[in-house]
Amino acid sequence: MKHPSTIIGREEELATIKRLYDSERSEFLAIYGRRRVGKSFLIEEAFENKLSFMAVGLYQRVDDNNEDKIESYRQKQLAHFYESLREYGLPAEGNPSPTSWMEALRLLKKLLSSKRTRRKVVFIDELPWLAGPQSSELIEELGHFWNSWARKRKDILLIVCGSATSWMIDNVLRDYGGLYGRVTETIGLKPFTLAESERYWEKRGFHLSRYEVALTYMVIGGIPFYMDSFRPDRTMADNINAIYFDKDKARQEFKDVYTGLYSASDLYIKVVRKLGTMFYGMTRSELLAAVDKKGGGTFSDVLENLMDSGVIRSYSRYGGPRKETVYQLTDFFTLFYLRFVEDTNFTSWRTVQRSKPFYTWAGNTFELLVIEHMPRLVDALRIKEYATPYCWYGETPENEGVQVDLLIPATAERADYICEMKFSEGKYILKDSDAEDITNRISALRNSKVHKPAHSIYVAYVTTFGVSESKHRSHINDIVTLDELFH
């Protein structure tokens, strides 16, 4: 294996892979995560030229009910799998191209048996695409390959990978057939954090302020694929233009993020587009009405699949007659694309930054950035133990409506933290309206059912550069700056 120091970030994931590689028994690793997050790159870089076999599923869109097209799809996948076997050393003589997955995996066993290396690493990339619409055949045969042969040898490291996260969970991790309980380790690969992004930019020769690192993160997320396309001999504005403002290219990338993840990608894109119009999200019933669909298990699967892939999140909203579950679009690339690229007149990142919508987008997206780094936030606030954060809205005794976008119940401290996120290019200046809002939120929360009378209320401002001294500074109990989200 390549030494972990040669790969930026991913320390925990690399430690897991090394432990499995060094194991004295056969191991089975499943990796899943959003497209472009770096799953294939992680394995290929970790093992360099030490893979004993690698095959990649080929995406093809096919009607699930058309048997002829399904069979054609299957034969193409088998042909590509056979081509990979040949590339890794399987002789053509006596080994004809397989017509079933049973035959294909029998040939894989034959290839691996001929290898003389201590550890035989098998990497099957985009397993959902390889399996195709009727995936049971490959899954059953892969289970048989593992149970009857690979795990008994003690020298196999089998790695399967897929961007269709829910498919991976349902067919590999929760499969009650041949693979049930056989996966020995899983890695749900997530985007880079701010700290990992900073290390990445530094290693690539960029000299960015933390403000610029954060702003770029808000535009493309911590997605290594997009970051890798940036050039250090260009400004960040030019690099962002290259991704988004060749609009045909950006439109295709948007489709690529969702195409192939799900069999009904059109419905998923429709849901994402609707959520893109409501930054703070929508309830399930609101979404159903917006996309003109009936309820049921299928729509629940859509929401669960998008959450599993990290495209949306769900959070609790209190304050109405009952607790509501709200679904919010959180994929930074998609949010920026829908706001400033698709069906807009913006032509460059520079024109975006000079526009009024930029500040609304930046303020909202900074909130998401903070929520994505919740562990860093609670550390900065010195919170030792807390319940699930939520959104709350209510009224003051004077019937003034208020909303708290992020409320953290700190159980050990017996306190409720009202968190306000403020994006600015310098120190944030508290206005009279801010002081009034703080007073109203405290008053409303203190008189609400969600707040325990014995608990305290703390107001924390999370800002890019802090808060200027002013007559209203005493309204705030704590300040968290952007720097602290990098730790």
Side-chain angles (χ1 to χ4, degrees):
M1 276 189 63
K2 182 183 283 190
H3 192 275
S5 64
T6 63
I7 303 175
I8 298 167
R10 310 305 194 198
E11 287 87 357
E12 290 185 13
E13 292 85 354
L14 286 164
T16 296
I17 292 169
K18 185 177 188 307
R19 174 170 55 80
L20 297 180
Y21 182 77
D22 292 339
S23 172
E24 296 300 321
R25 64 174 189 173
S26 289
E27 302 283 0
F28 189 172
L29 169 65
I31 305 178
Y32 57 89
R34 179 201 188 278
R35 279 194 86 183
R36 312 301 204 192
V37 80
K39 302 179 297 298
S40 305
F41 179 83
L42 175 66
I43 298 303
E44 291 171 10
E45 284 294 294
F47 290 105
E48 275 191 301
N49 299 318
K50 292 185 173 61
L51 291 173
S52 300
F53 175 74
M54 176 179 174
V56 183
L58 175 70
Y59 173 71
Q60 293 175 280
R61 185 162 185 166
V62 61
D63 185 348
D64 291 6
N65 298 315
N66 189 317
E67 293 186 7
D68 290 339
K69 289 185 177 179
I70 289 173
E71 180 57 25
S72 173
Y73 182 107
R74 175 173 168 271
Q75 291 304 321
K76 284 183 179 179
Q77 301 294 346
L78 283 165
H80 280 280
F81 192 87
Y82 179 67
E83 185 178 350
S84 296
L85 288 167
R86 295 277 294 109
E87 288 175 358
Y88 278 88
L90 183 74
E93 186 177 352
N95 299 303
S97 181
T99 59
S100 69
W101 284 113
M102 178 187 292
E103 293 176 7
L105 292 173
R106 187 180 297 140
L107 291 176
L108 177 58
K109 287 190 281 187
K110 191 172 183 179
L111 171 66
L112 296 175
S113 297
S114 69
K115 303 285 185 180
R116 294 292 176 259
T117 55
R118 181 197 73 82
R119 201 68 164 150
K120 297 163 183 63
V121 182
V122 178
F123 181 33
I124 300 178
D125 197 5
E126 291 299 357
L127 178 62
W129 294 356
L130 198 65
Q134 295 183 350
S135 57
S136 58
E137 181 195 359
L138 176 54
I139 293 303
E140 288 173 4
E141 292 302 330
L142 190 61
H144 182 72
F145 165 84
W146 175 257
N147 295 331
S148 67
W149 186 80
R151 71 181 181 88
K152 295 179 179 179
R153 287 182 56 96
K154 300 183 179 180
D155 62 351
I156 305 294
L157 173 52
L158 173 60
I159 304 170
V160 297
C161 176
S163 300
T165 297
S166 291
W167 189 99
M168 291 289 291
I169 291 171
D170 292 341
N171 292 278
V172 178
L173 306 183
R174 297 175 186 161
D175 174 56
Y176 284 91
L179 295 184
Y180 181 65
R182 301 304 181 185
V183 173
T184 55
E185 191 64 69
T186 61
I187 293 176
L189 200 62
K190 298 183 181 299
F192 281 164
T193 63
L194 281 171
E196 289 170 330
S197 298
E198 183 177 49
R199 293 203 301 273
Y200 175 89
W201 295 125
E202 287 174 352
K203 191 158 188 175
R204 288 278 314 281
F206 291 82
H207 308 289
L208 306 180
S209 66
R210 284 185 165 176
Y211 173 88
E212 193 82 341
V213 172
L215 187 59
T216 304
Y217 196 104
M218 288 156 59
V219 173
I220 61 172
I223 304 298
F225 179 84
Y226 304 137
M227 297 169 72
D228 194 51
S229 70
F230 280 38
R231 289 172 43 178
D233 61 340
R234 291 179 175 177
T235 65
M236 297 309 272
D238 288 336
N239 280 311
I240 290 169
N241 286 344
I243 288 183
Y244 285 109
F245 293 101
D246 177 343
K247 292 198 175 186
D248 289 337
K249 180 181 174 183
R251 193 174 294 113
Q252 186 60 51
E253 176 59 25
F254 174 71
K255 291 179 182 178
D256 287 348
V257 169
Y258 298 97
T259 300
L261 292 185
Y262 324 103
S263 58
S265 59
D266 292 345
L267 175 58
Y268 288 84
I269 291 175
K270 194 172 183 179
V271 168
V272 164
R273 281 202 171 103
K274 290 298 180 183
L275 287 176
T277 65
M278 302 289 289
F279 174 77
Y280 288 105
M282 305 168 76
T283 64
R284 187 176 187 276
S285 58
E286 289 169 343
L287 263 174
L288 281 168
V291 300
D292 195 24
K293 288 287 181 182
K294 295 180 179 179
T298 301
F299 195 73
S300 296
D301 289 343
V302 169
L303 297 178
E304 184 176 342
N305 292 347
L306 287 170
M307 286 191 290
D308 285 341
S309 295
V311 174
I312 69 174
R313 74 174 182 120
S314 68
Y315 67 91
S316 296
R317 183 168 65 194
Y318 293 85
R322 62 182 182 278
K323 181 184 78 170
E324 293 181 309
T325 298
V326 180
Y327 298 92
Q328 181 185 28
L329 178 61
T330 56
D331 184 73
F332 291 94
F333 172 88
T334 303
L335 281 165
F336 187 89
Y337 172 81
L338 293 175
R339 182 66 187 86
F340 293 113
V341 181
E342 186 175 70
D343 300 327
T344 73
N345 294 322
F346 292 105
T347 58
S348 71
W349 176 230
R350 292 178 180 86
T351 60
V352 167
Q353 287 188 289
R354 288 196 293 265
S355 70
K356 288 183 179 179
F358 166 81
Y359 293 98
T360 301
W361 165 84
N364 289 338
T365 311
F366 183 66
E367 290 186 22
L368 276 184
L369 179 73
V370 173
I371 290 168
E372 286 286 304
H373 292 78
M374 186 64 69
R376 306 284 75 75
L377 174 61
V378 296
D379 283 350
L381 292 171
R382 301 170 300 284
I383 297 174
K384 302 301 181 185
E385 196 175 308
Y386 64 100
T388 303
Y390 59 89
C391 171
W392 177 81
Y393 65 94
E395 291 184 346
T396 67
E398 295 75 33
N399 298 318
E400 291 281 343
V402 301
Q403 177 166 319
V404 177
D405 297 326
L406 181 61
L407 196 151
I408 305 175
T411 52
E413 284 80 6
R414 295 195 303 278
D416 288 329
Y417 280 75
I418 295 174
C419 296
E420 285 291 309
M421 284 73 81
K422 299 294 184 181
F423 177 87
S424 64
E425 295 179 352
K427 285 192 173 184
Y428 186 78
I429 301 172
L430 283 165
K431 302 178 286 294
D432 291 344
S433 58
D434 292 315
E436 183 179 353
D437 287 343
I438 292 169
T439 301
N440 287 340
R441 287 185 175 96
I442 293 172
S443 175
L445 184 61
R446 182 173 285 132
N447 289 281
S448 72
K449 293 180 180 179
V450 301
H451 176 70
K452 295 180 180 180
H455 285 200
S456 301
I457 296 175
Y458 285 83
V459 178
Y461 261 48
V462 188
T463 69
T464 42
F465 294 105
V467 176
S468 292
E469 290 296 330
S470 70
K471 63 181 179 179
H472 299 306
R473 173 63 182 80
S474 61
H475 283 74
I476 301 175
N477 300 104
D478 211 340
I479 297 171
V480 176
T481 64
L482 182 61
D483 280 346
E484 293 172 278
L485 299 181
F486 280 79
H487 295 161

